[in-house]
């Protein structure tokens, strides 16, 4: 299954277009390698997703095309959530 579709179906990211943007910005890794939106996701893969100042690491548990909202959380397991201390230079707003 494509990475962007998995993120949407599992509800880790709410919209597929947003999942594609995040992946294309290099903010998602699969098993330690930077992933694009079209990268293949398999059961057992470890995803690390950077959301602003936080990195969420999750393991893929199940792949399904359609999932009810109540069952979406069963598609992955959150392994850890890390808060980033340092802001990366490309995200600093210099216009003040």
């Amino acid at each position: 299954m494509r990475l962007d579709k998995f993120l949407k179906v599992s509800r880790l990211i709410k919209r597929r277009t947003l999942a594609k943007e995040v992946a294309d910005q290099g903010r998602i890794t699969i098993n330690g390698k930077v992933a694009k939106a079209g990268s293949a996701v398999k059961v057992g893969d470890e995803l690390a997703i950077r959301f602003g100042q936080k990195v969420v690491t999750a393991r893929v548990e199940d792949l399904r095309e359609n999932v009810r909202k109540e069952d979406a959380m069963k598609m992955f397991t959150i392994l850890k959530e890390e808060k980033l201390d340092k802001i990366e230079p490309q995200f600093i707003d210099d216009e003040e």
Side-chain angles (χ1 to χ4, degrees):
M1 176 180 285
R2 286 175 54 103
L3 175 62
D4 56 347
K5 182 162 185 175
F6 174 79
L7 293 171
K8 182 219 180 267
V9 172
S10 67
R11 291 173 171 80
L12 276 167
I13 296 180
K14 292 187 184 213
R15 292 185 314 278
R16 190 166 176 178
T17 54
L18 182 59
K20 181 180 180 339
E21 287 174 17
V22 171
D24 289 344
Q25 290 171 359
R27 293 170 35 194
I28 301 175
T29 62
I30 299 176
N31 300 324
K33 296 180 181 166
V34 177
K36 295 291 182 192
S39 298
V41 176
K42 300 180 296 303
V43 173
D45 283 350
E46 231 176 74
L47 307 177
I49 308 163
R50 194 176 78 228
F51 295 103
Q53 294 297 93
K54 184 170 75 168
V55 176
V56 175
T57 305
R59 183 176 48 241
V60 178
E61 301 293 346
D62 192 12
L63 296 176
R64 290 193 234 160
E65 294 294 319
N66 299 316
V67 177
R68 292 178 34 203
K69 186 176 182 180
E70 300 82 34
D71 297 331
M73 293 286 290
K74 296 176 185 172
M75 292 183 68
F76 62 91
T77 302
I78 299 291
L79 301 175
K80 61 183 172 181
E81 290 186 35
E82 299 174 280
K83 191 164 178 99
L84 298 175
D85 296 332
K86 185 179 152 193
I87 299 174
E88 294 187 24
Q90 70 256 31
F91 296 109
I92 297 175
D93 186 10
D94 292 330
E95 300 175 48
E96 290 186 17

